[in-house]
Amino acid sequence: MFMTEQKELLQVHNLETTFYTDDGVVPAVDGISFSLREREILGIVGESGSGKSVTSLSIMRLIPSPPGKISNGEILFEGRDLAKLHEKEMRKIRGNDIAMIFQEPMTSLNPLFTIGKQLNEAVLLHNKGWSKKQATERSIEMMKLVGLPRVEELIKEYPHQLSGGMRQRVMIAMALVCDPKVLIADEPTTALDVTIQAQILQLMKDLNTRLNTAVMLITHDLGVVAETCERVIVMYGGQIVEQGPVSEIFKNPQHPYTKGLIQSVPDMRHKKERLYSIPGNVPKPGSIKNGCRFAARCEFAFERCTQQNPPIYQINEQHTARCFLADDKERGAGE
């Protein structure tokens, strides 16, 4: 049986998102390029402040303006540049073709309205000719799909009456209610216990398989990426420092930051060893004007790293890294 090649559903080219603050111009996302293919789960990983969430909000065109602005680049979805669409046109795509699950479900759900009312509102917003009965039937269908119990009762309850895991399932149901082609999940398991986290991740994998929804999973946890994703993008300081297939990145990481993240994943086979942590902190966006943004925290850094920002090197057809040591000609200089 021949495997059909996956089409690129979303293409991001040289995206720059800038914030204009009292302290100056801050490039939160600085010239990133990547694609999301049909039916794939793509992971975007990095510490807080690396630019992951700003990337997702840029794609959704939800950057607050002022102070933020997409200052350069293209966000192509089915051939249309989302960065250049009028807000009225973008509203037809947002929630309908591209949906997003936000980090904290309690702040995303309105505490004054029932679960049913909020789900129905999402359905009716994108299906103008539907009746309230049709919207309720669709809401119940999606609640069952994401594994919520006693949905006929649940639909009449308020967010505070639900557990954290149930609220997150409601958010997923709300995101999927219009059959989006792309689902962006921004830290969907934050603040959930380990058991519920595993259930939510398995649910997303099942929905990806059953509904053919492409998923962009944003997380700081490489363990989650290893279990869930096909490809991974590693971000640091507003830039992509490495990307490729998950199996390749874990087996052959090329950027010292990626290596540090992998070492930071707890390994129960070596319980007595102290858990590794990357020294130092993520730099404030815009604070590093010259050189590699990871150089101050990198044990392999040499003089050139502090003077020039490394280009992106092609490791193989699918694997790239932004590090001088990824270039064979430079390896000797850093040793």
Side-chain angles (χ1 to χ4, degrees), residues 75-243:
I75 305 167
L76 299 177
F77 174 70
E78 296 187 326
R80 303 175 74 191
D81 187 357
L82 304 185
K84 292 181 172 60
L85 290 185
H86 293 296
E87 178 58 25
K88 187 176 180 181
E89 294 176 288
M90 190 61 207
R91 274 195 220 110
K92 295 176 184 176
I93 293 174
R94 190 188 299 129
N96 197 29
D97 292 317
I98 306 176
M100 186 166 177
I101 306 167
F102 295 92
Q103 285 190 34
E104 179 45 64
M106 198 58 201
T107 56
S108 300
L109 292 167
N110 192 321
L112 302 178
F113 296 109
T114 63
I115 298 301
K117 184 174 178 59
Q118 295 184 64
L119 277 166
N120 288 357
E121 186 179 8
V123 177
L124 294 171
L125 182 65
H126 296 285
N127 298 278
K128 300 296 183 184
W130 283 33
S131 65
K132 185 179 177 182
K133 182 182 178 183
Q134 286 176 301
T136 301
E137 288 172 354
R138 177 63 174 166
S139 297
I140 288 173
E141 178 190 351
M142 296 312 296
M143 289 173 74
K144 288 179 178 177
L145 183 68
V146 300
L148 283 163
R150 53 181 187 84
V151 292
E152 285 78 7
E153 298 171 36
L154 210 64
I155 207 166
K156 300 171 187 174
E157 295 181 353
Y158 290 85
H160 73 271
Q161 295 176 276
L162 277 62
S163 68
M166 291 172 78
R167 287 196 295 266
Q168 193 62 287
R169 287 174 187 266
V170 168
M171 289 302 301
I172 295 172
M174 193 176 292
L176 294 171
V177 82
C178 294
D179 290 329
K181 296 173 183 176
V182 174
L183 176 64
I184 300 173
D186 188 0
E187 304 271 12
T189 56
T190 297
L192 299 178
D193 65 57
V194 176
T195 306
I196 302 299
Q197 173 178 299
Q199 291 174 4
I200 294 295
L201 291 173
Q202 186 59 50
L203 170 62
M204 293 181 69
K205 288 169 72 174
D206 291 344
L207 293 172
N208 168 257
T209 303
R210 278 188 281 170
L211 303 180
N212 290 328
T213 305
V215 179
M216 185 185 300
L217 177 62
I218 296 167
T219 180
H220 60 272
D221 189 339
L222 265 180
V224 167
V225 169
E227 289 180 28
T228 313
C229 303
E230 299 163 47
R231 287 192 302 131
V232 61
I233 289 169
V234 182
M235 290 192 69
Y236 187 83
Q239 295 182 326
I240 292 175
V241 296
E242 189 160 7
Q243 66 174 307

Side-chain angles (χ1 to χ4, degrees), residues 240-243 249 253-255 258 310-315 319-324 326-327:
I240 292 175
V241 296
E242 189 160 7
Q243 66 174 307
I249 296 288
Q254 292 293 308
H255 198 284
T258 309
I312 295 173
Y313 291 99
Q314 199 79 35
I315 310 304
H319 186 180
T320 62
R322 185 187 290 273
C323 179
F324 290 124
D327 181 15

